[in-house]
């Protein structure tokens, strides 16, 4: 998305809801109210739209995003619920609780939204405008706060306009929202884990579970890399293959993760080639990043050679993820 886009503002209502659903289906970015702050929505199944969302926010890294859905049925299409997760969902949804769950086999949420992890963060918001948009759109929507990264979270449409005018397509003005903290995030692992405190108190969650929430490992944020969930740092996705960066020559048997149209020596000897963006578009490259890494990894190459990628704009986040992938699994 190019800065300078005309941002439309519509008062909440049937016309705005219909316009929001159409815009999301077209891959556009739509800001709308939730029960805490305004969220910046994009189709969670559309990696290109999610890449534009990162651009619009100036988000510094590809952190996992929360997939917002309209009901429990939609949530179960993308996440695997055990008895504990189901009890929490039935007790607290819709509301400020996000559950991190294993993905279903056919989870439609794009790898870019989950930052390449095998888990997905899911929430059903309580705000009626958000819920109506989700109902009409019919697919999951990622919706981080509708502000430039690092700025104060917006509680009015005017706040959104101040930060993102010309960067997004539509703002649905539902009036001022209650100022609140972000959602509480619980990882539904073997032992339910509090990943981020938030709007739902720990005691309420523990009452439903009948047990204490465990804390993340003490060193969970020592990686300072990719979060396990929004608001929590933990180990990052890395392929089984060795990742070699800055490659301008391919050794026999290596797989090539290319970028742009620059010639690469030895490309005929590559075991497989995938180009993040033949035209050198960083948004397209971001959209393809995790999927292409996984695809090359499944082809059995011992090494994935990665061509140089510019470090400007989304390139900074792409290179950050590639450097972490090159470190390998812990």
């Amino acid at each position: 998305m190019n800065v300078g886009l005309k941002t439309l503002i519509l008062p909440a209502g049937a016309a705005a809801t219909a316009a929001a659903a159409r815009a999301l289906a077209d891959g556009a970015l739509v800001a709308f109210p939730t029960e805490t702050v305004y969220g910046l929505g994009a189709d969670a199944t559309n990696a290109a739209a999610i890449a534009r969302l990162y651009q619009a926010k100036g988000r510094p890294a590809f952190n996992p995003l929360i997939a917002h859905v309209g009901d429990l049925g939609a949530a179960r299409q993308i996440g695997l619920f055990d008895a504990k997760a189901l009890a929490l969902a039935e007790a607290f949804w819709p509301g400020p609780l996000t559950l991190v769950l294993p993905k279903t086999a056919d989870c439609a949420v794009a790898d870019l939204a989950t930052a390449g992890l095998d888990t997905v963060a899911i929430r059903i918001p309580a705000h009626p405008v958000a819920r109506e948009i989700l109902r009409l759109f019919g697919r999951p929507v990622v919706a981080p706060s509708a502000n430039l990264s690092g700025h104060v979270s917006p509680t009015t449409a005017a706040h959104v306009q101040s930060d993102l005018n010309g960067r997004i397509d539509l703002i649905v003005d539902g009036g001022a929202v209650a100022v609140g903290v972000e959602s509480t995030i619980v990882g539904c692992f073997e032992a339910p884990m509090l990943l981020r405190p938030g709007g739902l108190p720990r005691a309420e969650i523990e009452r439903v579970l009948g047990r204490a929430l465990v804390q993340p490992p003490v060193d969970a944020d020592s990686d300072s890399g990719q979060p396990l969930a929004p608001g929590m740092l933990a180990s990052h996705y890395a392929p089984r293959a060795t990742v070699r960066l800055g490659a301008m020559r391919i050794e026999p048997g290596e797989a090539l993760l290319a970028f742009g149209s620059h010639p690469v020596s030895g490309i005929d000897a590559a075991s497989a080639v995938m180009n993040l963006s033949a035209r050198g578009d960083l948004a397209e490259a971001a959209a393809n990043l995790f999927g292409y890494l996984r695809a090359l990894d499944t082809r059995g190459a011992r090494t994935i050679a990665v061509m140089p990628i510019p470090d400007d704009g989304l390139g900074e986040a792409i290179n950050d993820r590639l450097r972490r992938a090159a470190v390998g699994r812990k």
Side-chain angles (χ1 to χ4, degrees):
M1 172 175 297
N2 296 319
V3 175
L5 184 74
K6 180 176 175 57
T7 299
L8 179 65
I9 303 176
L10 294 176
T17 300
R22 288 194 302 270
L24 290 167
D26 290 339
L29 303 182
V30 178
F32 55 84
T34 75
E35 63 266 37
T36 53
V37 299
Y38 274 72
L40 179 57
D43 181 353
T45 71
N46 184 336
I50 296 164
R52 288 194 290 274
L53 183 150
Y54 280 111
Q55 282 185 315
K57 281 182 63 68
R59 203 173 176 95
F62 294 146
N63 297 331
L65 300 172
I66 298 170
H68 295 69
V69 295
D71 55 44
L72 184 55
R76 299 188 79 163
Q77 292 179 17
I78 59 175
L80 294 172
F81 286 75
D82 62 13
K84 296 184 292 290
L86 189 58
L88 292 176
E90 290 175 341
F92 300 117
W93 280 352
L97 174 67
T98 293
L99 299 179
V100 177
L101 304 164
K103 292 179 182 177
T104 58
D106 57 352
C107 177
V109 175
D111 279 342
L112 188 57
T114 63
L117 298 175
D118 293 325
T119 54
V120 59
I122 310 173
R123 182 167 93 87
I124 299 178
H127 197 287
V129 173
R131 295 196 69 193
E132 186 60 16
I133 290 172
L134 289 166
R135 184 197 67 77
L136 193 60
F137 179 54
R139 293 200 291 273
V141 172
V142 294
S145 58
N147 56 281
L148 291 174
S149 199
H151 286 201
V152 176
S153 294
T155 58
T156 68
H159 294 162
V160 180
Q161 183 182 27
S162 176
D163 259 17
L164 299 179
N165 190 41
R167 290 174 172 264
I168 66 175
D169 300 87
L170 173 63
I171 301 170
V172 177
D173 186 353
V177 300
V179 179
V181 296
E182 297 169 309
S183 63
T184 302
I185 301 180
V186 172
C188 296
F189 312 132
E190 184 174 350
M193 180 182 294
L194 182 64
L195 299 179
R196 181 180 76 184
L200 183 64
R202 173 202 293 265
E204 291 297 303
I205 298 168
E206 293 178 337
R207 175 183 58 79
V208 170
L209 291 174
R211 60 181 295 178
L213 288 165
V214 301
Q215 292 294 115
V218 174
D219 62 350
D221 63 352
S222 62
D223 180 28
S224 69
Q226 176 178 319
L228 177 63
M232 184 222 178
L233 298 176
S235 57
H236 53 278
Y237 167 75
R240 291 181 295 271
T242 299
V243 175
R244 182 168 70 86
L245 304 179
M248 291 304 295
R249 176 178 178 81
I250 305 306
E251 301 299 327
E254 289 186 324
L256 173 64
L257 188 62
F259 177 80
S261 58
H262 298 292
V264 179
S265 177
I267 191 170
D268 291 340
S271 62
V273 178
M274 299 189 78
N275 197 321
L276 290 170
S277 175
R279 65 177 189 264
D281 183 283
L282 289 169
E284 182 181 20
N288 290 330
L289 177 61
F290 292 108
Y292 283 16
L293 274 176
R294 285 183 183 273
L296 290 176
D297 203 28
T298 61
R299 298 188 185 186
R302 291 187 177 181
T303 301
I304 299 173
V306 184
M307 286 178 60
I309 295 172
D311 211 36
D312 56 295
L314 283 176
E316 181 179 5
I318 293 170
N319 284 317
D320 172 76
R321 284 295 162 257
L322 287 171
R323 284 191 294 270
R324 299 185 189 287
V327 171
R329 296 184 182 274
K330 295 189 174 183

